[in-house]
Structures are given as C-alpha cells and as structure tokens.
Amino acid sequence: MASYLSTDKKKITATRFMAMKGEGDKIAMLTAYDFTMARLLDEAGVDAILIGDSASNVMIGNATTLPITLDQMIYHARCVANGAKHAFIVADMPFGTVHGDPQVALAAAVRMMKESGVDAVKVEGGHQVADSLKMILDAGIPVVAHLGLTPQSVNKLGGYSVQAKEEAEAEQLLSDARLVEELGCCGLVLEKIPSALAKQVTESISIPTIGIGAGNETDGQVLVCTDMLGMTMGFKPKFLRHFANVGVQIQEAVATYCREVKAQTFPNDSESY
C-alpha cells in the first residue's frame, strides 16, 4: 500500500491543524456525510473532513442548507467520526443554532461534540455571532469560522453570487476575519470571494484559511466530495473541478447489473453456493 494510503499517521488535532499554516503545509479538506466515504477519504490522506450542512442538499435533496436539523447533522457527523481516524473532523452547526441566544448556541455545540465525536464545529458569520463564538470557545470547543458566501444566509444575500466585491464589504470581511482570530477560532473558511481578498485575509491572520471559490492563495481548499467526484450531475460552478467521473461510472455499473440480472448471467456458477 502506498504511504499516502496508510492510516498509520498521527491524528490531526486542532493544534496540528493550526500549525500546518506556519509550516506551509497546504490543507486538503473534503466533505463527507457517511462512514464509508469518510473511511475512503481518510485512508486516501485527506487532512480534514467537513460534515457540511450541504448534507441538506446532497443527502436529503433539499434546495438549500436551511432545513437540516441539529439531530440530522449529529447523525451524519457521528457516521463520519466513526469512519475517519486520522483527519481533523469538523461539523457544521446548522441554521438557527448559533444566530441568537449564546446559551442556546453553546448547548447545541456541546450536543454536537458529545454525541458525534467530531474534533471541532464550524460556524457561519463574524461579528453577528461573536457572543456565541466566545461562549463556545470558552467552553473548550474548537471552532472553524466561515465568512464570505455563507449559504445559511442565502435568502438575505439573494443567491449564491460572489461576495465582498465592493470595498466596504471587503473591509468588513477582513475585520471579521481578524475578529474570529482574536476570539480564538482555529481556522477560517472563505467561500466565493475575490482571490485577491482571500490572499489579503490569509496574509493578515495567523490561523489557516480554507478556500472554496476563493483562489489558490489560501492555506487550503475544500470541496463537496460528491461534486469533485462528478456525482452531482449537472452542477459545475466555476470553482469546481471534477477529479473523477464517478456518477457516470455508477450509472454504467448499475445498468450492467440490471442487464445481467435480467439475462440470468448473474450470479454465475462460481458466485453460487
């Protein structure tokens, strides 16, 4: 087995995750939502796995991330935590759990950590959720922040367009990045912002930045696993690269299976008892 497919590695903790920036070790992060995919990603050498609230779209079929519940996110996070032994595992706090009473936010984050076994939670927003971030962090829970295009705010933002293109918005994003660093977050996802701004943010803070649609000057990258594997048919935003065409391969395999079942060529004698 190739070395990069070995799980004989030390667990990536929040401390190790943060140290990767200073060492110039770019962080490869992907999403996962189940045990089998998490194990495959982990054994392939991914540094971090995000149980994104994109599970709302990918696993359930909702149009947005908003409907997924805390209980559903905990379920998917537990599946991933059971499958990944090396990667740094981060779970999204779903819509409605952190934008309000900080005590409620803390209770939700505590549930996520206790019931799923993940290493950290991810929270969308900056100054708007500062009180919740502080309370969660003060409880000893590692937090990865998320700025730029924040999908939970899709209705307010009016869609999924590039964010912080104007000077005032860019300044606010930079201010929020410095704020989440000051509060003690261990990382920052930057989604769908100009690459020049992502570079500026990355150079301005000491915690690692993980980009998605934010250019290649961030400290790492994240993609939805089913998107980069070519399983999300018909979805191809500018920032997405298909590293495989698994969707077509699955369809072809299933079509072959159906033909062989109907022709009674499966199972054959060697596959029968």
Side-chain angles (χ1 to χ4, degrees):
M1 180 180 288
S3 61
Y4 63 86
L5 294 178
S6 172
T7 55
D8 297 330
K9 303 177 183 178
K10 289 185 178 179
K11 168 72 179 176
I12 297 181
T13 62
T15 301
R16 173 69 192 133
F17 181 76
M18 292 170 59
M20 292 175 75
K21 180 184 180 98
E23 296 170 4
D25 190 0
K26 297 297 184 182
I27 299 166
M29 176 186 275
L30 287 170
T31 68
Y33 315 100
D34 64 85
F35 172 86
T36 301
M37 184 63 79
R39 185 173 61 179
L40 288 170
L41 300 185
D42 197 56
E43 291 179 356
V46 74
D47 299 306
I49 296 176
L50 171 66
I51 304 97
D53 57 4
S54 47
S56 180
N57 313 96
V58 176
M59 303 302 293
I60 303 174
N62 294 321
T64 70
T65 64
L66 273 61
I68 198 165
T69 66
L70 179 60
D71 285 340
Q72 289 171 322
M73 285 299 302
I74 289 172
Y75 167 79
H76 287 290
R78 184 168 64 248
C79 293
V80 170
N82 286 342
K85 304 306 177 186
H86 163 67
F88 182 56
I89 306 171
V90 185
D92 262 330
M93 295 305 299
F95 176 69
T97 55
V98 295
H99 288 76
D101 185 345
Q103 290 285 355
V104 173
L106 174 60
V110 167
R111 276 199 63 200
M112 177 63 76
M113 298 296 290
K114 287 173 67 71
E115 297 177 32
S116 73
V118 299
D119 302 311
V121 299
K122 182 166 75 65
V123 175
E124 293 188 9
H127 63 280
Q128 311 96 324
V129 293
D131 291 341
S132 293
L133 284 174
K134 186 177 187 307
M135 186 159 285
I136 294 169
L137 288 160
D138 284 349
I141 299 173
V143 177
V144 175
H146 184 155
L147 299 173
L149 175 61
T150 48
Q152 292 176 13
S153 302
V154 60
N155 292 323
K156 179 180 178 181
L157 297 174
Y160 297 97
S161 59
V162 177
Q163 300 298 302
K165 292 186 292 184
E166 303 301 325
E167 184 177 354
E169 295 173 335
E171 288 178 356
Q172 182 61 62
L173 188 143
L174 185 56
S175 174
D176 280 338
R178 289 170 174 150
L179 171 64
V180 299
E181 174 194 24
E182 181 181 343
L183 288 171
C185 291
C186 65
L188 171 61
V189 171
L190 296 172
E191 181 168 358
K192 217 165 180 182
I193 65 172
S195 57
L197 176 59
K199 182 176 186 292
Q200 183 183 8
V201 171
T202 300
E203 293 174 347
S204 299
I205 60 176
S206 62
I207 59 175
T209 58
I210 307 296
I212 176 168
N216 67 358
E217 295 291 338
T218 51
D219 298 306
Q221 300 291 331
V222 63
L223 285 175
V224 171
C225 62
T226 51
D227 292 347
M228 60 83 70
L229 290 172
M231 297 172 67
T232 312
M233 313 296 274
F235 179 70
K236 188 64 168 66
K238 180 179 181 179
F239 65 81
L240 173 62
R241 181 186 299 181
H242 287 160
F243 288 82
N245 204 7
V246 175
V248 170
Q249 291 177 314
I250 291 173
Q251 290 180 326
E252 290 175 348
V254 171
T256 301
Y257 168 78
C258 292
R259 286 195 300 270
E260 298 205 7
V261 167
K262 293 179 183 299
Q264 287 187 281
T265 55
F266 174 80
N268 59 30
D269 290 344
S270 67
E271 295 161 334
S272 301
Y273 295 98

